């Protein structure tokens, strides 16, 4: 089994290493894993006014540990992981193992209406998301990124009107890579925003990741007063898009191409897989134009996801301090 360090280009293996340099690098990675502080059971997510009831099947890494995993273990630039609140892994497996990891973020755009949920058309959404893909890929290549093709749904979008959560999975093809990337998107709706759990793995992991994504979705609970049913019409801020817009806005491919702006940063995971964070300014502009319901649209959302990405993909460092709490996301 091999894993790729995107930033350094170093290729390491589980078999005995052939050089002192490789041995030292492996020791460094293992030391980082040993320093992580995994937690199971009840996990509070204060930034989202929510919690995760993980039980004993999964473990959670807080904001600081997650950033170490994403940058120091998986080679992502620090600027790409701003806004990550934590990560979830299967119990008994480490970030260096051949496994998946779920990235936890929160977007406080406001209450997302589900009035359009019954009108979701997976085929039409797929067509919408693919529009302008060629032009977007020309921009990506010019800026040193691999091309990305949305091959289809691994699991079409579905909305649970009782639990107010949403799940779908995309099949992505990166560059000339023969393996497909499985990108599972889980969204749990709250009174003031959306809690996101994004899982990325290889397509051959679908049988394992699909049930895990559903299980994780059911662990997420908003605090009393912040639940979807606590929404106060006329008092609380309402997002400028509904459930259908949430699905489309969750695909960085669509956002980047619609605004003609390279607001995409790739975080490389196992097997060459990648998940995508979008520049929020770009996403907001596109969502307002595509899915706005009319009337006055607010100037922009409050969000804890990554800051708007700059066209220059060169990492610029992490301006955020490490999470001082250590116990909560």
């Amino acid at each position: 089994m091999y894993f790729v360090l995107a930033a350094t280009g170093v290729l390491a293996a589980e078999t005995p290493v052939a050089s002192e340099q490789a041995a030292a690098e492996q020791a460094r990675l293992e030391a980082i894993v040993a320093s992580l502080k995994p937690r199971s059971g009840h996990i509070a997510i204060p930034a989202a006014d929510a919690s995760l009831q993980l039980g004993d099947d999964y473990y959670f890494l807080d904001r600081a540990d997650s950033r170490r995993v994403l940058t120091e273990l998986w080679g992502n630039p620090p600027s790409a992981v701003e806004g990550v609140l934590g990560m979830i892994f299967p119990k008994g497996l480490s970030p260096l193992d051949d496994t998946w990891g779920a990235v936890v973020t929160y977007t406080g755009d406001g209450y997302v209406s589900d009035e359009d949920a019954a009108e979701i058309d997976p085929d039409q959404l797929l067509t919408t998301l693919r529009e302008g893909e060629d032009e977007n890929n020309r921009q990506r290549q010019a800026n040193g990124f691999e091309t990305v093709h949305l091959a289809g749904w691994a699991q079409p979008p579905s909305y649970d009107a009782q639990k107010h959560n949403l799940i779908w999975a995309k099949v992505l093809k990166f560059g000339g890579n023969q393996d497909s990337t499985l990108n599972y998107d889980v969204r749990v709706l709250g009174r003031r925003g959306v809690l996101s759990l994004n899982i990325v793995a290889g397509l051959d992991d679908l049988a394992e990741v699909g049930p895990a994504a559903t299980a994780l979705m059911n662990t997420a609970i908003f605090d009393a007063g912040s639940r979807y049913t606590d929404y106060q019409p006329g008092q609380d801020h309402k997002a400028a898009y509904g459930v259908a817009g949430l699905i489309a806005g969750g695909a960085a491919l669509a956002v980047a191409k619609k605004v003609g702006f390279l607001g995409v940063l790739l975080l490389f995971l196992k097997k060459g897989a990648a998940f995508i964070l979008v520049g929020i300014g770009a996403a907001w502009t596109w969502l307002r134009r595509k899915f706005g319901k009319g009337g006055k649209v607010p100037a922009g959302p409050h969000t804890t996801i990554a800051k708007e990405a700059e066209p220059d993909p060169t990492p610029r460092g992490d301006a955020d301090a490490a999470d001082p709490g250590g116990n909560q996301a």
Side-chain angles (χ1 to χ4, degrees):
M1 183 277 291
Y2 294 90
F3 59 89
V4 178
L5 302 179
T8 64
V10 177
L11 187 64
E14 287 183 330
T15 54
V17 293
S19 69
E20 291 184 2
Q21 181 180 6
E25 177 64 10
Q26 185 68 17
R28 181 187 72 85
L29 298 177
E30 292 175 354
I32 293 173
V33 170
S35 72
L36 301 176
K37 305 174 183 63
R39 293 182 293 124
S40 297
H42 175 87
I43 306 295
I45 311 291
D49 293 324
S51 63
L52 301 170
Q53 309 297 330
L54 295 183
D56 294 325
D57 294 329
Y58 309 100
Y59 68 88
F60 179 83
L61 297 179
D62 66 13
R63 184 196 311 254
D65 277 353
S66 296
R67 290 183 177 186
R68 294 198 71 192
V69 168
L70 292 171
T71 58
E72 298 179 44
L73 291 186
W74 291 353
N76 300 285
S79 58
V81 300
E82 296 175 10
V84 171
L85 301 178
M87 294 185 72
I88 304 168
F89 289 92
K91 191 170 184 180
L93 296 172
S94 89
L96 292 183
D97 290 325
D98 185 13
T99 187
W100 53 265
V103 179
V104 181
T105 57
Y106 175 76
T107 307
D109 288 3
Y111 173 86
V112 177
S113 172
D114 62 358
E115 293 178 356
D116 65 345
E119 302 172 6
I120 294 175
D121 183 338
D123 292 336
Q124 181 59 46
L125 275 171
L126 199 61
T127 299
T128 299
L129 298 181
R130 285 172 172 163
E131 290 175 2
E133 187 176 273
D134 290 344
E135 175 58 30
N136 181 55
N137 279 328
R138 280 193 288 271
Q139 294 182 38
R140 291 176 58 78
Q141 287 179 311
N143 286 274
F145 291 109
E146 286 186 312
T147 59
V148 185
H149 171 59
L150 177 57
W153 300 117
Q155 178 175 328
S158 61
Y159 177 69
D160 188 324
Q162 298 300 315
K163 297 181 179 179
H164 308 292
N165 53 35
L166 185 66
I167 188 169
W168 70 94
K170 301 182 295 291
V171 179
L172 303 175
K173 300 283 289 188
F174 286 83
N177 195 332
Q178 296 302 309
D179 295 327
S180 296
T181 296
L182 178 65
N183 192 171
Y184 250 95
D185 292 281
V186 172
R187 302 290 183 268
V188 182
L189 309 186
R191 176 180 179 178
R192 303 178 185 89
V194 180
L195 183 67
S196 299
L197 309 176
N198 296 313
I199 306 174
V200 175
L203 188 58
D204 56 347
D205 295 322
L206 179 60
E208 173 190 353
V209 176
T214 300
L216 288 182
M217 179 172 62
N218 292 329
T219 70
I221 301 174
F222 278 94
D223 301 338
S226 296
R227 296 167 184 165
Y228 193 78
T229 53
D230 294 325
Y231 171 69
Q232 298 295 315
Q235 299 181 29
D236 294 337
H237 175 63
K238 190 174 182 180
Y241 51 89
V243 168
L246 182 62
I247 298 171
L253 300 176
V255 174
K257 68 180 177 56
K258 286 292 182 180
V259 299
F261 170 67
L262 189 68
V264 179
L265 295 173
L266 299 182
L267 306 184
F268 291 85
L269 279 74
K270 298 294 182 293
K271 305 176 186 174
F275 70 86
I276 304 170
L277 295 181
V278 185
I280 292 305
W284 181 251
T285 299
W286 180 72
L287 288 171
R288 283 193 302 171
R289 185 171 71 240
K290 183 71 176 177
F291 292 98
K293 297 293 185 180
K296 185 177 181 181
V297 180
H302 166 70
T303 179
T304 57
I305 293 184
K307 297 177 182 178
E308 182 169 339
E310 301 181 16
D312 181 1
T314 304
R316 301 183 183 276
D318 188 0
D320 292 353
D323 179 18
N327 291 323
Q328 296 180 328

